């Protein structure tokens, strides 16, 4: 673990951006950290050479931006990104790696990464991205963006349709009541309708879901994300 200070009498900015560089290539990581430390609004800039060091550092310190390589000696940068996003959601994650597969990028973005950069990136550009990400922006190289969008479109096209999407608002309310374990009489009371109306909605939603019983409808609803309410 190493933290870089500033060289010379640089006036500290009022709002500094703390940065953690995580890379097991020490020469590269140290060089990036040293260069970033020269920026008046970046600092402190610290380096972790492993997943273990990064997690230990973040357990005790705050980092506004984390620059992560994907392949680390003791683990995956994506796994680390997921941990950081869950444990420190205010930390903006930037993937700085030689890997550029669309699948990896989509996975990284889905677990909280705000930018995906090649290690060959110009350092001035890297500084701009860090500042932008800290301010709420996101960044992907134009050629990489095209591949990522294509991958997302293909994934969407192959995803099975949501079986609950065809239900009306009232049918979904009835199904929610079923998931909550209510009887038809209790559903009628909660929704201020008649028991016959509940029966009709129940029959319709069972047919739309392709189920054969109330129990099967509830099971299908649970598998597709519907959960018991607190009411």
């Amino acid at each position: 673990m190493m933290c870089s200070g500033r060289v010379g009498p640089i006036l500290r900015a009022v709002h500094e951006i703390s940065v953690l560089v995580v890379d097991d290539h020490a020469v590269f990581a140290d060089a990036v950290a040293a260069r970033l430390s020269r920026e008046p609004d970046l600092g402190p800039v610290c380096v972790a050479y492993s997943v273990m060091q990064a997690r230990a550092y973040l357990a005790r310190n705050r980092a506004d931006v984390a620059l992560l390589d994907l392949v680390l000696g003791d683990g995956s940068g994506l796994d680390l990104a997921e941990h950081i996003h869950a444990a420190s959601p205010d930390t903006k994650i930037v993937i700085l790696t030689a890997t550029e597969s669309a699948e990896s990028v989509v996975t990284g973005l889905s677990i909280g990464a705000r930018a995906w950069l090649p290690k060959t990136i110009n350092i001035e550009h890297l500084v701009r991205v860090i500042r932008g990400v800290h301010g709420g922006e996101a960044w992907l190289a134009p050629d990489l963006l095209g591949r990522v969008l294509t991958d997302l479109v293909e994934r969407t096209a192959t995803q099975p349709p949501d079986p609950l999407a065809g239900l009306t608002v009232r049918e979904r309310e009835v199904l929610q009541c079923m998931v909550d374990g209510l009887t038809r009489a209790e559903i009628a009371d909660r929704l201020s309708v008649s028991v016959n109306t509940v029966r009709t909605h129940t029959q319709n939603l069972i047919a739309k879901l392709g189920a054969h019983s109330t129990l099967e409808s509830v099971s299908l609803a649970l598998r597709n994300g519907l959960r018991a309410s607190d009411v």
Side-chain angles (χ1 to χ4, degrees):
M1 177 69 66
M2 181 271 288
C3 289
S4 297
R6 306 198 185 284
V7 179
I10 299 176
L11 180 64
R12 291 179 178 271
V14 175
H15 299 291
E16 293 190 348
I17 304 171
S18 57
V19 180
L20 176 65
V21 181
V22 185
D23 198 304
D24 60 355
H25 292 81
V27 174
F28 175 83
D30 292 348
V32 170
R35 174 60 185 82
L36 294 180
S37 295
R38 292 164 54 189
E39 298 297 321
D41 59 334
L42 302 185
V45 180
C46 297
V47 179
Y49 305 107
S50 66
V51 171
M52 183 175 67
Q53 284 188 357
R55 293 181 68 150
Y57 176 83
L58 290 170
R60 303 186 306 270
N61 306 278
R62 178 180 63 86
D64 294 315
V65 178
L67 306 181
L68 312 181
D69 191 7
L70 276 196
V71 182
L72 300 165
D74 61 343
S76 163
L78 288 177
D79 290 342
L80 178 59
E82 189 170 21
H83 168 78
I84 293 173
H85 186 61
S88 180
D90 290 336
T91 299
K92 305 300 190 297
I93 299 169
V94 174
I95 305 296
L96 183 61
T97 184
T99 302
E100 293 189 355
S101 75
E103 183 177 358
S104 296
V105 177
V106 170
T107 300
L109 296 178
S110 70
I111 59 178
R114 302 301 300 272
W116 193 286
L117 308 173
K119 282 191 170 183
T120 54
I121 190 172
N122 179 282
I123 193 68
E124 284 73 23
H125 191 175
L126 175 60
V127 170
R128 290 196 297 273
V129 171
I130 291 173
R131 290 173 178 148
V133 166
H134 181 254
E137 299 176 1
W139 194 89
L140 284 177
D143 61 327
L144 192 55
L145 178 60
R147 283 187 279 148
V148 168
L149 290 176
T150 299
D151 184 271
L152 286 172
V153 169
E154 291 175 350
R155 291 189 185 198
T156 302
T158 57
Q159 286 178 347
D162 179 4
L164 308 185
L167 302 181
T168 66
V169 173
R170 180 60 86 184
E171 288 166 352
R172 194 176 181 97
E173 289 175 343
V174 171
L175 182 58
Q176 178 66 65
C177 291
M178 292 161 59
V179 170
D180 291 344
L182 273 61
T183 65
R184 284 185 181 175
E186 290 169 335
I187 295 173
D189 183 62
R190 177 186 286 187
L191 301 181
S192 300
V193 297
S194 70
V195 173
N196 286 336
T197 299
V198 172
R199 181 183 297 109
T200 299
H201 286 313
T202 302
Q203 292 171 345
N204 289 342
L205 72 87
I206 288 176
K208 287 183 178 181
L209 295 176
H212 299 92
S213 66
T214 299
L215 182 60
E216 187 177 350
S217 297
V218 170
S219 177
L220 191 150
L222 291 171
R223 291 200 305 272
N224 285 274
L226 207 59
R227 295 291 179 265
S229 61
D230 296 329
V231 179

